Amino acid sequence: MAYFRYYCARYYTDTHIMIKQFTLGLTLLFGQNLLAQTSPELNSAEILLGIKKLNTVGSVLYVAAHPDDENTRLLGYLAKEKNFRTGYLSLTRGDGGQNLIGKEQGEALGLIRTQELLAARRTDGAEQFFTRANDFGFSKNPEETFTIWNKDSILADVVLTIRRFKPDVIICRFPTTGEGGHGHHTASAILAMEAFDLAADPTKFPEQLKEVEVWQTKRIFWNTFNFGGNNTTSEDQLKLNVGTYNPLLGMNYGEVAANSRSMHKSQGFGSAKQRGESIEYFKFLKGEVASTDIFEGVDASWKRLSTAGNIDELISKCISTFNPQHPEQSLPALESIYAKLQQLDDKDPSTRYWKKVKLAACQELILQCAGLWMEAYVNDYSAVPGNEISISAQIIARNPGNVKLKSISFIDQTNKETNLQLSTNKLEIIDQKEILPKTTAYSAPYWLVEPHTVGMYTVEDPALIGVPENRASKSVIYHLAIDGIDFQIARGLVFKSTDPVKGEVYRPFEILPPVTINISDQVLVFSALTPKEISFVVKANAPKVKGNVQVAVPTGWKIEIKNPEINLEKKGDEQIVKAILTPDKNGKDGQLRASVSVDGNVYSKSITRIEYDHIPYQFILSDAEAKIVFLDLKKTKNKIAYIPGAGDNVPACLTQIGYDVTFLTDELLAKEDLSVYSSIVTGIRAYNTNDRLPVYHEKLMAYVHQGGNLIVQYNTNNRIAPMETKIGPYPFTISRDRVTDDNAKVEFINPKHPVLNTPNVITERDFDGWIQERGIYFATELDSHYETVFSMQDPNEKPSKGSLIIAKHGKGNFVYTGLVFFRELPAGIPGAYRLFVNLLSLPQNKN
């Protein structure tokens, strides 16, 4: 559908009430989240669904911990069949997960998963919210979770969402009793239960009451489940058949759910469409008891508002007379509804809330029935504060009607009078040049603007807490009169181009510093006193950028910049600046910081771009820094090979310490003499993502038998990615065992093994400073040929010995490891490098 044109990220800007109201209308009709960027285009079936939704005055909030935790079938059913205003509160953005489609981790992965959630909401019709909680990785229990999150702050965010959204019913995906497995899951239910009461208490988080009122939700449920061998459903629970077929959608909600869930591509959650009856189960947790229906006692009609009058009758008549061939014929009815909504009394908080919600939705339906399309383009996707931009504001009324464009406001600066009566199906274009104010903030996801802790993002503006993404950086406001009724419609500035394969491609309007500087590597690792050449890529975001590159290094290190002067004539020009970085045996590890001095101003931002077809263009502006690490490291052989998996940065890290790394493609695996490599490493989840690896199992085992080392990094073995192929020379099973405490004590249970002694002597200190976790997807059910090296455990759990297993096979060695080298090496953890080098250096076995 054309309104799925979402190729626009939203970035930090001032909040405008009018834009917020218009955004609400788009969200209510289409799900999350167009945010006044591109012009939605609904077909008649979608318009009729929107009109039907006008007549439902009820809301429901679903609560869980992560992107992909939500029940998309239930959300779609509630939003598009029951026509309730439906929201999903995900406590985190999923930064701590794995990534099946690329190398991004941490903040970048959280940005991807945020956009995947929004794409899912555009599909199932619900709205999306977040808290400030950061997904720090897998957690075994809520106690651990709450020691890392600031529980009171996250609880306040949940309370704020409830007070803003005013749900009649709250539904938890997980219980408070731990059946959800993940500590974040259990924590989400605990917080929802506490917030259920606190949202109604004016003494709790009173600072919020400047913006919102207290709210008492009628009841809260746990949406029980039957998956992963864990059936928590029961016939005495309340039930809901969500397998309904909706002829206006042309789908049932199992099909809607599959389309929605398949948006979580980074998690490998592509789903098959299910058709027919589907029963959801609900266990009552708190509030008013319900005996027959989860919405029992909830009046979702206009009768819940004492001053609503005959609004419901007007909407019902509009529904019954709607002509899909001529939606413009419904304009008089919708305008009457709009007028009635405007007359609602604002004194009652509930009425005030629903008035705002329904006015926004009704406004958008009027625009759609009028066939109005409006978009505003810039001539380039980026600009610098203080520079001129060219704007093309376009509008067309494709249905007959009385529509007048009175004026256009450009980026809060110029209001251009037009007084233009729109002719049917005639495109009007109004061009304008504007100067971006010098004080305009740079574009950046609002939750990444300030430094944050492991457990929580820093958000200075309370109005942004919970908002899924930033609003448009700059907007154009169309001042319209439709049949004499005034409307103000916001369209965020976007850049549009035509790709010969993809067709129309939208991308955000980015506000950037005049120059950015990217460092060749985020971690610079030295294992000897030999100097290294490093590169800085300086890019001009404005024409005629002249200046000098400056680099600061930690005490004891020396940096010599070969060509510090930059002279970039055109916008988009790049210059590579090289420098020699020399370590010192007494130097301290620390941060290298780069900047560019231009006309007396210093610019020190790097830019990371994220581009995937299934989400809008994204980027992160961050400080231009790199970690410098000096390792006490011994190496032996240098020529190794790498079989890529789901995506990681391990090869680049190994290259930094002097390895000659060859990527083994399918063609090379088929033809190459593998004996030229001392070791072969498989990337994370290689056996989950590369269905050709089983073909080469015998060749790889022969390589090991002849004296090579094969190191297999973690793979998964679950219902999403079952492990159905042989990996090693002898049997073992990949489990879900893991150690999430990154400070967990590591016991050396095989201290004489070469992997702990050659060429580097590994000690407990080598596990200092590890991040996020020790390891995941450990090996179990080991054949007797395998040796174990470590034992480790999370608090109050049994020791696990499957983090690293090694088997001799002929002259060579096979290794499977769940240790998270893919996190530790890019983070510059010295002990991880030393241990990985030892794996690569395992000696050949004597016959």
Side-chain angles (χ1 to χ4, degrees), residues 481-708:
I482 302 175
D483 291 327
I485 303 173
D486 289 338
F487 296 97
Q488 297 180 42
I489 310 302
R491 289 288 185 260
L493 295 182
V494 295
F495 176 74
K496 185 174 75 170
S497 60
T498 303
D499 182 275
V501 176
K502 301 174 184 177
E504 282 190 342
V505 176
Y506 288 72
R507 65 183 300 165
F509 175 49
E510 304 171 0
I511 300 174
L512 302 175
V515 63
T516 53
I517 179 167
N518 282 31
I519 307 171
S520 55
D521 296 285
Q522 295 303 299
V523 177
L524 302 168
V525 180
F526 290 75
S527 58
L529 295 176
T530 306
K532 277 188 180 182
E533 183 179 78
I534 59 175
S535 299
F536 304 89
V537 178
V538 182
K539 183 171 183 177
N541 300 311
K544 301 187 182 302
V545 175
K546 294 183 179 182
N548 290 276
V549 171
Q550 303 169 340
V551 182
V553 294
T555 302
W557 295 76
K558 296 180 182 179
I559 186 85
E560 179 186 353
I561 306 174
K562 293 182 178 180
N563 51 335
E565 297 85 9
I566 60 160
N567 186 357
L568 302 172
E569 184 66 22
K570 296 183 295 182
K571 178 180 180 180
D573 283 354
E574 294 184 0
Q575 183 175 324
I576 297 176
V577 175
K578 295 185 178 296
I580 300 297
L581 181 60
T582 305
D584 185 275
K585 62 181 180 180
N586 297 317
K588 296 182 178 179
D589 294 353
Q591 296 291 324
L592 176 150
R593 294 181 171 87
S595 60
V596 183
S597 176
V598 178
D599 297 331
N601 297 307
V602 177
Y603 301 97
S604 58
K605 293 296 182 183
S606 67
I607 190 164
T608 301
R609 295 197 174 276
I610 301 170
E611 298 183 16
Y612 291 100
D613 286 345
H614 70 294
I615 61 172
Y617 284 91
Q618 302 291 301
F619 73 90
I620 300 173
L621 276 181
S622 56
D623 293 333
E625 297 180 346
K627 184 178 180 180
I628 302 179
V629 179
F630 188 88
L631 302 176
D632 176 15
L633 185 69
K634 300 180 180 67
K635 294 173 52 259
T636 54
K637 302 170 183 177
N638 284 328
K639 190 173 180 62
I640 64 173
Y642 204 87
I643 301 174
D648 58 68
N649 290 307
V650 171
C653 296
L654 297 178
T655 300
Q656 277 215 48
I657 56 174
Y659 282 101
D660 177 7
V661 182
T662 298
F663 285 94
L664 288 182
T665 61
D666 183 64
E667 182 180 1
L668 286 178
L669 272 171
K671 298 179 180 179
E672 187 88 343
D673 177 8
L674 301 182
S675 66
V676 300
Y677 306 109
S678 61
S679 293
I680 297 175
V681 182
T682 67
I684 61 172
R685 298 172 74 168
Y687 284 86
N688 296 133
T689 59
N690 186 345
D691 58 8
R692 295 287 297 167
L693 278 181
V695 176
Y696 301 110
H697 176 73
E698 290 187 8
K699 184 172 184 177
L700 289 170
M701 292 304 102
Y703 160 78
V704 175
H705 198 271
Q706 293 164 11

Side-chain angles (χ1 to χ4, degrees), residues 294-360:
I294 63 172
F295 296 111
E296 187 175 309
V298 175
D299 187 352
S301 73
W302 282 99
K303 291 181 174 60
R304 74 186 291 169
L305 306 180
S306 60
T307 61
N310 67 338
I311 290 178
D312 56 343
E313 296 174 5
L314 294 175
I315 296 172
S316 296
K317 184 176 180 181
C318 185
I319 294 169
S320 64
T321 59
F322 181 75
N323 184 348
Q325 295 295 324
H326 293 283
E328 73 277 6
Q329 293 176 359
S330 292
L331 281 172
L334 286 169
E335 289 160 3
S336 296
I337 295 166
Y338 190 81
K340 283 287 186 181
L341 289 169
Q342 287 181 312
Q343 294 167 13
L344 287 176
D345 191 349
D346 282 346
K347 294 178 182 178
D348 172 60
S350 184
T351 303
R352 183 164 59 247
Y353 168 79
W354 284 110
K355 176 180 179 179
K356 177 182 177 182
V357 168
K358 296 303 184 181
L359 271 173

